[in-house]
């Protein structure tokens, strides 16, 4: 499974867009990019995932570069409740593995 | 719909004692996972299963055993607990298809080994 690199921490003003970057330069063609977040000590929560195309749902948007070596999670209007640790994960499905390997993540602090 | 349920939520063990953590999911998922999370760290994969009767090692399997006798349950065992196994343990499950692969997590089991 490809490794990911994320900045350890970021700040964002409430109401502004939060852009969280992730590098996954060794990603292979059949691997997806997933984003999860963990608020305080709760279990991680799924946000979004994608393969090649940009994706959007009610929580966030995922922008994947054309070469797929990096991606950005966008929270369009961050609120204080978005303060959490955000994990970018690369996940493949070949050989029935489907492992989810977490890195250190990015701690996002949304400030008033 | 309960999702993923972990039992127990809290436990204190003495060094050398054994225990089993239970993870139950009611979504008919094929994949199940056990993670541990130490303070200030990310989640580390202990063991996982891609279906009933199958298990595989993750990143940090030493000191743990698992079993998946029924599709809905994934058990994590500590045969002889050590203080280094003090951690929060999370279980997760997900489906097999690539189109619908969101993983659902339990609320965690906080284990202290003294």
């Amino acid at each position: 499974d490809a490794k990911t690199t994320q900045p350890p921490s970021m700040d964002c003003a409430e109401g502004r867009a939060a852009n969280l970057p992730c590098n996954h330069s060794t990603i292979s063609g059949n691997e997806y990019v997933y984003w999860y977040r963990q608020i305080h000590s709760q279990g991680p929560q799924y946000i979004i995932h994608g393969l090649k195309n940009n994706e959007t749902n009610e929580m966030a948007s995922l922008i994947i570069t054309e070469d797929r070596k990096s991606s950005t999670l966008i929270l369009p209007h961050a609120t204080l409740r978005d303060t959490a640790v955000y994990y970018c994960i690369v996940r493949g499905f070949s050989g029935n593995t489907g492992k989810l390997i977490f890195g250190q993540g990015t701690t996002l602090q949304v400030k008033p | 719909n309960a999702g993923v349920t972990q039992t127990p939520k809290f436990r204190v063990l003495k060094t050398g004692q054994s225990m089993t953590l239970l993870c139950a999911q009611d979504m008919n998922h094929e994949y199940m996972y056990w993670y541990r999370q130490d303070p200030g760290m990310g989640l580390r994969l202990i063991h996982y299963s891609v279906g009933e009767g199958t298990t595989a090692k993750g990143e940090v399997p030493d000191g743990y055993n698992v079993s998946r006798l029924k599709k809905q349950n994934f058990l994590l065992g500590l045969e002889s607990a050590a203080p280094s196994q003090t951690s929060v343990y999370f279980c997760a499950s997900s489906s097999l298809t690539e189109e619908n692969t969101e993983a659902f997590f339990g609320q965690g089991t906080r284990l202290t080994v003294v």
Side-chain angles (χ1 to χ4, degrees), chain A residues 3 30 32 34 36 38 41-46 49 87 91-94 96-104, chain B residues 31 33 35 37 40-43 45 48 50 59 90 94-99 101-103 105-107 110:
Chain A
K3 299 295 184 184
N30 62 352
Y32 289 71
Y34 279 76
Y36 284 79
Q38 187 176 27
S41 300
Q42 300 175 18
Q45 175 191 22
Y46 166 84
H49 76 283
Y87 296 98
R91 185 186 190 192
F93 291 90
S94 60
N96 270 350
T97 56
K99 288 188 293 184
L100 269 175
I101 302 294
F102 287 75
Q104 294 304 304
Chain B
Y31 292 136
Y33 312 85
Y35 295 89
Q37 186 173 34
M41 305 285 288
L43 282 76
L45 182 64
Y48 65 102
V50 300
E59 302 171 282
F90 288 100
S94 75
S95 67
L96 181 62
T97 60
E98 295 183 20
E99 295 78 17
T101 54
E102 172 186 353
F105 284 80
Q107 287 306 300
R110 190 172 299 273

Side-chain angles (χ1 to χ4, degrees), chain B residues 56-73:
Chain B
K57 295 180 180 180
E59 302 171 282
V60 288
D62 293 343
Y64 304 95
N65 57 75
V66 287
S67 64
R68 183 106 181 260
L69 298 179
K70 294 182 178 180
K71 188 176 184 180
Q72 64 268 33
N73 295 335

Side-chain angles (χ1 to χ4, degrees), chain B residues 73-107:
Chain B
N73 295 335
F74 196 28
L75 305 178
L76 178 70
L78 287 74
E79 290 187 350
S80 180
S84 60
Q85 293 177 305
T86 294
S87 190
V88 179
Y89 292 83
F90 288 100
C91 175
S93 72
S94 75
S95 67
L96 181 62
T97 60
E98 295 183 20
E99 295 78 17
N100 184 23
T101 54
E102 172 186 353
F104 293 83
F105 284 80
Q107 287 306 300

Side-chain angles (χ1 to χ4, degrees), chain A residues 39-92:
Chain A
I39 297 174
H40 196 44
S41 300
Q42 300 175 18
Q45 175 191 22
Y46 166 84
I47 301 173
I48 198 168
H49 76 283
L51 182 62
K52 298 179 182 178
N53 301 320
N54 299 337
E55 302 288 343
T56 295
N57 63 21
E58 64 278 5
M59 289 182 66
S61 294
L62 173 61
I63 308 299
I64 302 174
T65 58
E66 190 170 346
D67 63 8
R68 301 207 325 123
K69 292 184 177 182
S70 65
S71 60
T72 301
L73 178 75
I74 301 173
L75 307 178
H77 305 287
T79 71
L80 298 179
R81 288 175 295 180
D82 291 322
T83 292
V85 180
Y86 288 78
Y87 296 98
C88 169
I89 300 166
V90 170
R91 185 186 190 192

